[in-house]
Amino acid sequence: MGKTAAVILAAGKGTRMGGHVHKQYLELQGKPLLYYAINAFESSSIDDIILVTGPGETEYCQKEIVERYGFTKVRSITEGGKERYHSVYEGLKSVPDCEYVLVHDGARPCITLEVIERALEGARAYHACTVGMPVKDTIKVADDNGYAKRTPDRSSLWLIQTPQAFKYELVLKAYEKLLSSESYQTGITDDAMVVETMTREKVKLIRGDYANIKVTTPEDMEVAGVLLNRIYGRK
Ligand code: CTP
Ligand code: MG
């Protein structure tokens, strides 16, 4: 079987979290938040991990995360870019030869082995997939003045998470096309969207986990703490 790789993103600035330390390095249950995502991929069947960090943070990541916790699958630490999609592209270019690649937000510490393996199976079966979950709340589209304009049918709505998993050549080509044309680059928020808009490939939606939250604002840190205790078996 072809080799598999994961690009773990940690080049964001954590603006919505606030504070001076980028959220991926905030401590959660005694370890940096980013540790948990790397740990899950390290113990999965993925062969190689590429970490994407902010400018000037590669040495910190190497010493304080990779070496400190003895991760053996991290092949390189690459500097990301201004937008998430720039960081993904940098990560994809650094991936060693592989057939399938998973892209994961370093800000999703509660990722489990089961979800990673499901995403990988999805990539093998469909060539392009993302994990997500059906929405539980009603979603409304607001007009410019903050009034409810529309209520889309909830039964067809999914909350999209990561990992998003692809045939490597497919997602690389999609990103090359995106980066070569500025007019496409507004409103890109995930990798599936890049594949949807830049290729003819359809992206399959695979079940993730409601616990696979993205730590974005301070209250998410508390929730993630509780969820991690459950995953790692602490009371
Ligand atoms: N990310 C990245 N490069 C960027 C922007 C984001 O690698 N230029 C990463 C983040 O580190 C995070 C993931 O993409 O792991 C999801 O992004 P998000 O939750 O938006 O994180 P931030 O961009 O750091 O937060 P904010 O938008 O609040 O500034
Ligand atoms: Mg962001």
Side-chain angles (χ1 to χ4, degrees), residues 8-18 22-24 34 52-54 80-88 104-108 214-216:
I8 300 181
L9 298 171
K13 291 196 167 74
T15 318
R16 287 169 286 179
M17 183 63 75
H22 291 171
K23 66 183 179 186
Q24 55 273 29
L34 179 59
V52 185
T53 71
K82 187 164 173 286
E83 301 294 336
R84 184 185 182 280
Y85 60 81
H86 293 119
S87 299
V88 175
H104 184 67
D105 294 329
R108 292 186 190 270
K214 181 158 69 69
V215 174
T216 308

Side-chain angles (χ1 to χ4, degrees), residues 3-66:
K3 288 191 88 179
T4 56
V7 171
I8 300 181
L9 298 171
K13 291 196 167 74
T15 318
R16 287 169 286 179
M17 183 63 75
H20 297 296
V21 178
H22 291 171
K23 66 183 179 186
Q24 55 273 29
Y25 308 121
L26 290 175
E27 242 185 52
L28 200 53
Q29 320 295 69
K31 298 197 175 75
L33 187 126
L34 179 59
Y35 158 89
Y36 295 97
I38 304 172
N39 188 55
F41 281 90
E42 174 90 13
S43 54
S44 77
S45 68
I46 292 286
D47 296 304
D48 301 309
I49 299 171
I50 303 303
L51 258 186
V52 185
T53 71
E57 294 170 4
T58 52
E59 206 170 309
Y60 170 84
C61 282
Q62 176 62 29
K63 289 218 169 72
E64 295 303 321
I65 301 184
V66 176

Side-chain angles (χ1 to χ4, degrees), residues 44-215:
S44 77
S45 68
I46 292 286
D47 296 304
D48 301 309
I49 299 171
I50 303 303
L51 258 186
V52 185
T53 71
E57 294 170 4
T58 52
E59 206 170 309
Y60 170 84
C61 282
Q62 176 62 29
K63 289 218 169 72
E64 295 303 321
I65 301 184
V66 176
E67 286 172 22
R68 178 158 184 199
Y69 297 106
F71 291 127
T72 60
K73 290 186 179 178
V74 177
R75 300 293 170 244
S76 64
I77 305 178
T78 306
E79 284 190 7
K82 187 164 173 286
E83 301 294 336
R84 184 185 182 280
Y85 60 81
H86 293 119
S87 299
V88 175
Y89 186 49
E90 292 308 315
L92 289 175
K93 285 190 292 183
S94 307
V95 166
D97 186 41
C98 75
E99 191 172 5
Y100 298 103
V101 64
L102 273 61
V103 180
H104 184 67
D105 294 329
R108 292 186 190 270
C110 305
I111 182 66
T112 57
L113 206 55
E114 292 74 32
V115 174
I116 292 171
E117 299 301 338
R118 217 152 49 229
L120 193 52
E121 279 169 32
R124 292 199 169 104
Y126 304 105
H127 293 182
C129 74
T130 175
V131 304
M133 292 302 282
V135 303
K136 294 194 268 194
D137 296 317
T138 292
I139 305 283
K140 288 196 189 289
V141 179
D143 70 12
D144 293 343
N145 301 312
Y147 290 93
K149 187 161 81 177
R150 217 161 46 79
T151 308
D153 175 15
R154 189 173 62 192
S155 65
S156 64
L157 296 177
W158 282 56
L159 286 172
I160 297 307
Q161 307 175 338
T162 69
Q164 306 202 345
F166 309 93
K167 229 176 147 62
Y168 178 73
E169 292 302 328
L170 170 77
V171 71
L172 181 70
K173 283 211 180 90
Y175 267 91
E176 280 168 352
K177 200 167 163 193
L178 176 79
L179 271 296
S180 68
S181 159
E182 253 172 53
S183 59
Y184 289 123
Q185 292 172 14
T186 41
I188 294 285
T189 53
D190 75 343
D191 318 298
M193 214 176 147
V194 179
V195 169
E196 287 158 39
T197 49
M198 298 296 145
T199 76
R200 286 158 182 252
E201 201 75 38
K202 286 176 97 175
V203 178
K204 180 73 173 172
L205 304 182
I206 306 262
R207 260 184 106 79
D209 192 323
Y210 285 116
N212 182 22
I213 63 165
K214 181 158 69 69
V215 174

